[in-house]
Amino acid sequence: MSTDWWRGAAIYQVYPRSFGDANGDGSGDLAGVRTRLAYLAGLGVDALWFTPWYPSPMADGGYDVADYRAIDPLFGDLAEAEALIRDAAAVGVRTIIDVVPNHVSDQHVWFGAALAAGRGAPERERFWFRDGRGTDGELPPNGWISEFGGSAWSRVTGPDGRPEQWYLHLFAPGQPDLNWGHPEVVAEHEEILRFWFDRGVAGIRIDSAALVAKDERLPDVPGTPHRGEHPYVDREDLQGIYRSWRRIAESYGPDRVLIGEIWLPDAERFARYLRPGVLHSAFNFDFMAAPWDGKALRVSIEQTLDVHDRVGAPATWVLSNHDVTRPVTRYGREDTAFAFDTKRFGTPTDLALGTRRARAAALLAMALPGAFYLFQGEELGLPEADIPIDRIEDPMHARSGGLDPGRDGCRVPFPWSGTEPPYGFSPRPVETWLPQPVDWGSRTAAAQAGDPGSMLSLYRTALRLRRDRPDLGAGDGAGRFAWLDLGPDVLAFARGDRFVSVTSFSGGPVDLPAHARVLLTSSPLEDGRLPSDATAWLDLG
Ligand code: TEU
């Protein structure tokens, strides 16, 4: 396969704790992924991205990493990970791992050493330890708010048992932020990249990539949305950090890639991370969060293609991940956009409508130029699950004062087969780490595999067409992108001379170009016309 495989790849996100449980403890593991590689290869994906699999107290679903060179015993061990990377490669699937540079777990050896060493010790300089404000240091050093709500500072107890300094955590208290001004922090991460590239991984997904560098003066931040540099977002130092990571990736070959998790409101700023010599690729959250609306999606697509073209990077198209509401649930709501701060319990949804739109969105996203990411279960059209309050694990729930249901609803163990929990996820009846809904019997992979009208069949067919056709995916040369005008409330575009994708929003049946051969539709045509909330793929040849 070519060295720039990533420009048009289909990349499948595996959430290891919820994909397949081989040892029967109710949590997924790497052996459980290995036994299901045939499913993934058959789905037609080019690579797997694993959310963190390292030893972790799971204060934030494994994004609190205690040791970047090992595997959590819940999931297996390093030999198992190496075997998984090899087995996946043997069926033509590459492996991408998640690296978390912004913070470590409070159980990481560095943080333990920092606590033990006490105030003023060099061990504390790898983190952001500061004295508190107030008469007795009882107030946090500044007013920064954690991404999960509440103060971004927690106070530690000194070796003498008394309240002492504070440390910064942009996420949960179990995730102390690293000081990237410290040379050991920089060097350590370069070694971590090499450690995993040496083990054959094809790429690194960089967690919270725009937050890693801080203004060392730690100034308070304005309460208004920001553009450009900010005390801890999108700082210029990041460009140099990722340039050196790029040199490391390239020393292993042009097929090794760096993929940034970059949430920025400004597309021009976002694209700076994708300039030659910086990152290869980054997740396109603007498209992911857009409402189900032809005009809004068109604006997002145009802007995406424009800023990526200018830096020579491929666009990425994402409909979901482990942090956001499942598409079939979101697209069936009155407000179809995604935002973290509007998530509430009990928001009504029309799942039939949401599913219809999610099918249309999948074909739209898979037809666009660039790479496509899918999150496990998206191909089954799984809805967001309701998790009983006492089983919620995600810290976003508690830190929102109980208002936000958190992100567990999309992280539920995967339903493979059968009519009741654990739906083949575990080899025996066992309580899974998050409970599975009792009505998922018709949504299992096995139930959908033989049904040509299922979401799974749609994804399989679409991924196969996307892979087989030279005008889809990156479509360099053969797949030139051009908008077509098929009326208001319709998004239509060509890829090259033959392929056309048409998405109809609420405007009712749309006439398709004459003499076109229908390759695939997300919903059946009605009298040869494309109904609302549907996408058709056509061949004009
Ligand atoms: O997420 C980073 C991130 O900024 C958001 O996805 C985050 O959930 C949101 O902004 C909260 O307001 C990454 C991971 O994808 C997420 O699962 C982790 O919780 C987070 O980093 C911390 O490592």
Side-chain angles (χ1 to χ4, degrees):
M1 209 197 261
S2 72
T3 54
D4 59 357
W5 64 275
W6 46 276
R7 290 186 164 264
I11 299 175
Y12 187 98
Q13 181 186 357
V14 176
Y15 198 77
R17 208 174 173 186
S18 292
F19 191 65
D21 169 21
N23 67 6
D25 65 356
S27 276
D29 42 49
L30 300 191
V33 182
R34 284 178 76 194
T35 60
R36 290 166 175 91
L37 283 172
Y39 169 85
L40 296 165
L43 187 58
V45 297
D46 302 300
L48 306 178
W49 149 35
F50 290 88
T51 49
W53 55 16
Y54 316 104
S56 166
M58 306 280 171
D60 179 24
Y63 282 95
D64 46 325
V65 180
D67 178 357
Y68 291 77
R69 294 179 180 79
I71 301 295
D72 195 286
L74 195 61
F75 301 143
D77 57 20
L78 191 56
E80 186 86 51
E82 290 169 344
L84 173 53
I85 295 166
R86 272 197 308 273
D87 288 0
V91 294
V93 176
R94 297 171 200 254
T95 298
I96 294 166
I97 56 153
D98 215 316
V99 164
V100 186
N102 182 67
H103 45 265
V104 297
S105 162
D106 61 0
Q107 300 304 307
H108 189 280
V109 51
W110 277 1
F111 196 69
L115 288 186
R119 194 167 175 282
E123 286 83 350
R124 290 208 171 174
E125 286 165 19
R126 298 183 186 122
F127 298 93
W128 297 102
F129 278 88
R130 290 290 183 276
D131 292 337
R133 294 173 301 174
T135 48
D136 208 14
E138 73 281 10
L139 298 173
N142 70 23
W144 293 5
I145 299 296
S146 149
E147 297 286 318
F148 294 160
S151 173
W153 296 90
S154 288
R155 196 170 190 188
V156 303
T157 305
D160 61 358
R162 301 193 29 197
E164 203 229 53
Q165 285 194 300
W166 298 72
Y167 68 91
L168 175 69
H169 53 84
L170 289 183
F171 293 91
Q175 297 168 292
D177 278 51
L178 289 169
N179 170 9
W180 274 79
H182 195 298
E184 285 173 24
V185 171
V186 175
E188 167 69 359
H189 281 81
E190 297 188 352
E191 289 308 312
I192 292 166
L193 297 189
R194 290 198 175 90
F195 180 89
W196 288 105
F197 280 137
D198 283 339
R199 278 160 183 76
V201 306
I204 310 277
R205 180 258 190 197
I206 308 168
D207 186 67
S208 302
L211 305 183
V212 170
K214 316 281 178 327
D215 178 340
E216 62 182 16
R217 294 164 301 166
L218 307 179
D220 269 310
V221 296
T224 47
H226 65 92
R227 289 201 170 247
E229 271 204 303
H230 168 284
Y232 59 82
V233 187
D234 192 21
R235 298 195 62 76
E236 198 55 31
D237 286 354
L238 293 171
Q239 304 292 324
I241 293 169
Y242 297 137
R243 281 183 191 279
S244 74
W245 286 28
R246 176 71 175 244
R247 286 192 289 273
I248 293 170
E250 284 184 354
S251 74
Y252 286 84
D255 57 342
R256 309 291 183 110
V257 298
L258 300 173
I259 306 152
E261 190 215 10
I262 298 176
W263 297 81
L264 289 178
D266 183 333
E268 307 270 347
R269 297 290 303 180
F270 173 90
R272 297 181 76 244
Y273 293 82
L274 303 178
R275 292 176 297 170
V278 196
L279 303 179
H280 297 79
S281 184
F283 296 100
N284 179 1
F285 295 122
D286 186 71
F287 178 80
M288 185 195 72
W292 182 247
D293 172 86
K295 287 188 198 67
L297 285 166
R298 180 168 175 147
V299 169
S300 180
I301 293 166
E302 276 175 351
Q303 176 168 277
T304 298
L305 293 177
D306 176 45
V307 299
H308 286 77
D309 278 351
R310 282 194 268 143
V311 291
T316 64
W317 307 99
V318 186
L319 295 172
S320 71
N321 64 37
H322 65 294
D323 290 332
V324 305
T325 310
R326 289 282 193 186
V328 302
T329 302
R330 172 160 75 90
Y331 288 138
R333 289 178 175 164
E334 195 182 319
D335 178 4
T336 53
F338 176 78
F340 281 105
D341 54 10
T342 56
K343 289 184 71 188
R344 291 294 175 263
F345 286 97
T347 309
T349 184
D350 174 345
L351 277 185
L353 178 63
T355 300
R356 184 182 172 88
R357 289 174 172 169
R359 292 171 64 90
L363 293 195
L364 167 64
M366 283 191 248
L368 288 165
F372 175 68
Y373 283 82
L374 66 160
F375 172 49
Q376 67 175 56
E378 182 184 313
E379 79 279 24
L380 302 183
L382 296 183
E384 190 80 0
D386 290 324
I387 310 295
I389 303 264
D390 61 345
R391 299 286 300 274
I392 293 180
E393 300 235 348
D394 182 17
M396 281 189 97
H397 170 66
R399 290 186 68 90
S400 72
L403 285 177
D404 182 334
R407 300 165 295 176
D408 294 333
C410 67
R411 301 175 176 180
V412 169
F414 195 96
W416 287 97
S417 59
T419 54
E420 57 191 50
Y423 302 112
F425 172 75
S426 296
R428 59 191 184 87
V430 64
E431 188 167 61
T432 52
W433 75 279
L434 285 175
Q436 298 164 305
V438 292
D439 60 354
W440 275 10
S442 61
R443 302 188 189 274
T444 65
Q448 295 194 33
D451 172 4
S454 69
M455 188 73 97
L456 180 57
S457 297
L458 182 78
Y459 268 73
R460 274 192 183 145
T461 308
L463 287 167
R464 195 189 62 234
L465 280 167
R466 191 178 174 282
R467 177 181 267 181
D468 289 350
R469 294 188 65 107
D471 46 8
L472 289 184
D476 300 319
R480 193 177 21 83
F481 176 92
W483 290 111
L484 303 174
D485 183 7
L486 294 192
D489 233 9
V490 180
L491 276 193
F493 55 87
R495 299 289 315 274
D497 298 330
R498 298 178 56 152
F499 181 91
V500 168
S501 174
V502 185
T503 302
S504 156
F505 291 82
S506 55
V510 170
D511 288 320
L512 296 174
H515 313 302
R517 183 164 62 90
V518 177
L519 297 169
L520 185 61
T521 61
S522 64
S523 292
L525 299 183
E526 292 171 6
D527 297 327
R529 305 170 82 203
L530 185 66
S532 292
D533 299 310
T535 296
W537 282 5
L538 309 171
D539 190 315
L540 305 179

